[in-house]
Amino acid sequence: MKAFMPTGDFERAVILRDVPEPDPAPDCAVVEVEAYSVNRGETFQLEKPATGWRPGKDVAGTVIRSAADGSGPEVGARVVAHPPAAGWAERVAVQTSQLAKLPEGVDPIVAAALPLAGLSALRLLRAAGQLAGRRVLMTGASGGVGHYFTELAAAGGAEVTAVTASPERGARLEELGADHIVHDVADAEGPFDVVLESVGGDSLQQALCKLRPRGTLIWFGQASRSAPTIDFFRFWEGPTSGTIRHFDYTDSDVPDGRDLATLVSYVSKGRLHPEIGLVANWLETPDVLNTLRTRGVRGNAVLTRTGV
């Protein structure tokens, strides 16, 4: 079968090659891939790819071989899945605990935009706790996680301030329920009960100073690719006390499949609207990767094997 393999070349990061068919474990189904989403984090991994690794964590398609242990959906079921890798291919083996059936009316292109960003947003909501009536600040809100989190948190009664460099993307976040849009974290009017920080560098320090006493800052990324720094003497510019915690979306007691089922249910009911900024044929994957690197896509980029 055909699959994209990393090249280690920055300008042409992947190339289509012949690879062996999936050899599934007993608890894995084989999915014929119809669409997959490209995450910005994968563009970073492709700069120094690990030996034997193939990209692809967000896929949607059809089960063509059910799991030998009897778990998971039957052959012919439409699914969304979150394999650990190797999804930029014609077929991929996925543990049944990492996939969910798609309801009627949810397109594979839409579903493919859900897994990593959607799981991150849903689990950030859990980490933040009860948000009804609370003031929330989110940095780096322009990406997929920011869009999902903003819509879900606003629907849950939070007052959301989103930080985004782009007025256009800020307008979209307002449509999704953000109460306030700022283009620099320094301009956010605190204090905030919860701060979600994903930029890194000095952004974390600035956001920390916006926290209310005994509030919570959750650090979940460094999109700037600069490590966050904290000067605890500056802590007193804001709260007198507070909690700082790290968030990793993979650290969850809920299986991916169950959370994916929740996400596709929200989409089916019109409660969640994936932000898809680009849809292209999968043969265009190398070019799409370059577009993502230059932040040329608002929301998710989805590649489809069924044409556009």
Side-chain angles (χ1 to χ4, degrees), residues 30-203:
V30 177
V31 176
E32 183 82 24
V33 177
E34 295 180 44
Y36 55 82
S37 179
V38 178
N39 295 292
R40 187 167 169 79
E42 288 171 316
T43 68
F44 300 155
Q45 287 179 276
L46 284 166
E47 293 176 10
K48 294 182 179 179
T51 302
W53 170 77
R54 286 198 280 121
K57 297 171 70 69
D58 293 6
V59 305
T62 302
V63 174
I64 60 170
R65 180 175 172 182
S66 57
D69 66 0
S71 64
E74 69 285 355
V75 170
R78 300 167 62 249
V79 296
V80 59
H82 190 51
W88 298 1
E90 292 181 299
R91 289 168 288 281
V92 62
V94 188
Q95 282 190 322
T96 55
S97 63
Q98 294 178 303
L99 54 78
K101 293 179 72 170
L102 289 180
E104 289 297 326
V106 177
D107 189 277
I109 291 175
V110 173
L114 283 171
L116 191 148
L119 290 172
S120 297
L122 186 63
R123 292 167 180 176
L124 274 170
L125 281 171
R126 294 195 188 117
Q130 176 57 251
L131 292 181
R134 304 182 78 192
R135 303 192 73 225
V136 178
L137 172 66
M138 186 173 209
T139 67
S142 295
V145 177
H147 282 93
Y148 289 136
F149 181 87
T150 296
E151 186 167 19
L152 292 172
E159 180 185 337
V160 179
T161 296
V163 184
T164 172
S166 164
E168 178 189 7
R169 298 185 184 194
R172 178 55 178 156
L173 288 164
E174 285 185 313
E175 292 174 359
L176 294 173
D179 297 278
H180 312 285
I181 301 295
V182 295
H183 304 305
D184 189 309
V185 65
D187 297 328
E189 295 186 9
F192 295 95
D193 300 286
V194 177
V195 171
L196 304 171
E197 157 49 25
S198 65
V199 175
D202 190 51
S203 178

Side-chain angles (χ1 to χ4, degrees), residues 175-297:
E175 292 174 359
L176 294 173
D179 297 278
H180 312 285
I181 301 295
V182 295
H183 304 305
D184 189 309
V185 65
D187 297 328
E189 295 186 9
F192 295 95
D193 300 286
V194 177
V195 171
L196 304 171
E197 157 49 25
S198 65
V199 175
D202 190 51
S203 178
L204 188 147
Q205 179 68 68
Q206 294 184 66
L208 179 61
C209 293
K210 306 288 184 176
L211 199 64
R212 72 161 177 81
R214 293 172 296 282
T216 299
L217 183 145
I218 301 173
W219 171 58
F220 68 100
Q222 52 187 55
S224 68
R225 308 191 73 178
S226 298
T229 56
I230 299 176
D231 178 351
F232 278 97
F233 289 102
R234 289 186 60 195
F235 197 86
W236 307 107
E237 295 176 14
T240 54
S241 63
T243 299
I244 302 172
R245 60 164 293 186
H246 177 243
F247 169 87
D248 182 340
Y249 89 103
T250 64
D251 183 16
S252 173
D253 295 329
V254 182
D256 289 349
R258 192 183 307 170
D259 276 344
L260 285 172
T262 296
L263 292 166
V264 295
S265 174
Y266 287 167
V267 172
S268 179
K269 296 174 182 176
R271 297 174 56 187
L272 189 65
H273 299 83
E275 188 74 11
I276 299 175
L278 175 66
V279 178
N281 187 278
W282 78 311
L283 298 178
E284 299 176 54
T285 297
D287 295 324
V288 170
L289 289 172
N290 288 329
T291 302
L292 278 174
R293 286 195 188 100
T294 57
R295 296 186 177 275
V297 180

